Amino acid sequence: MSDQSFPFHDESTALVHAPADRVFAYLDDPKALAAHMRESSMMMLGSRMSIDIDADGGRAIGSKIRMHGKMMGISLSLEEVITERQAPYKKVWETIGTPNLKVMAHYRIGFELTPERDASLVRVFIDYRLPVNAPGSWLGCLLGGVYARWCTKQMADDAARHFKTMQLTDRLQR
């Protein structure tokens, strides 16, 4: 899809206290990156999504990831494909097929890492379209941006928390 296919954008950043190769290895795992979708939360209205990953583990160009679940009894599902992977600095993936979502239609999402001395600046971004049919069209207008912000912020903040916890665990084990 061209950039014009995704008229909406959001991004979040976090400083992660670990080198880019370690941060990339963590974020390259779709289950770690999508942890916010697998846990019950207010943004998911108490629901959660299951994640299925192909034999490449979501770690190769062309690798596929599927998510499915229910929110308030309504089925949600999507399939994504990895479109760009430049270890240890960048990874991008996007929806394929027909996603069954309520506040977004197709999207492209990814992360970029910039080394910063002994840390890494993580930038998580999403470019997306809103659904065109009701009720998704009005739900998307109302909540699409809120959901995009929550999603990118969760991914960036989860990485920072993960490595902060790792540092604390390392110190306690010494």
Side-chain angles (χ1 to χ4, degrees), residues 17-27 88 113 162-163 166 170:
H17 295 282
D21 60 334
R22 287 186 57 213
V23 177
F24 187 91
Y26 174 75
L27 293 174
L113 302 175
H162 172 77
F163 285 97
M166 296 281 293
D170 289 347

Side-chain angles (χ1 to χ4, degrees), residues 72-124:
M72 297 175 50
I74 300 169
S75 293
L76 303 174
S77 62
L78 62 97
E79 186 173 13
E80 302 167 324
V81 65
I82 308 305
T83 58
E84 189 176 346
R85 186 176 182 275
Q86 299 170 4
Y89 301 109
K90 185 177 183 180
K91 185 173 179 181
V92 179
W93 58 102
E94 63 185 60
T95 52
I96 57 174
T98 305
N100 182 19
L101 302 171
K102 300 305 167 207
V103 299
M104 283 185 185
H106 284 277
Y107 60 82
R108 176 178 39 236
I109 191 167
F111 63 84
E112 292 179 337
L113 302 175
T114 305
E116 297 273 336
R117 295 186 192 146
D118 60 345
S120 301
L121 181 64
V122 175
R123 180 178 81 92
V124 179

Side-chain angles (χ1 to χ4, degrees), residues 24-40:
F24 187 91
Y26 174 75
L27 293 174
D28 197 27
D29 177 358
K31 289 190 177 185
L33 192 63
H36 65 284
M37 298 294 291
R38 295 184 311 137
E39 300 168 357
S40 178

Side-chain angles (χ1 to χ4, degrees), residues 164-174:
K164 187 174 184 178
T165 302
M166 296 281 293
Q167 287 177 341
L168 181 57
T169 301
D170 289 347
R171 278 191 227 134
L172 291 174
Q173 290 177 348
R174 289 183 199 157

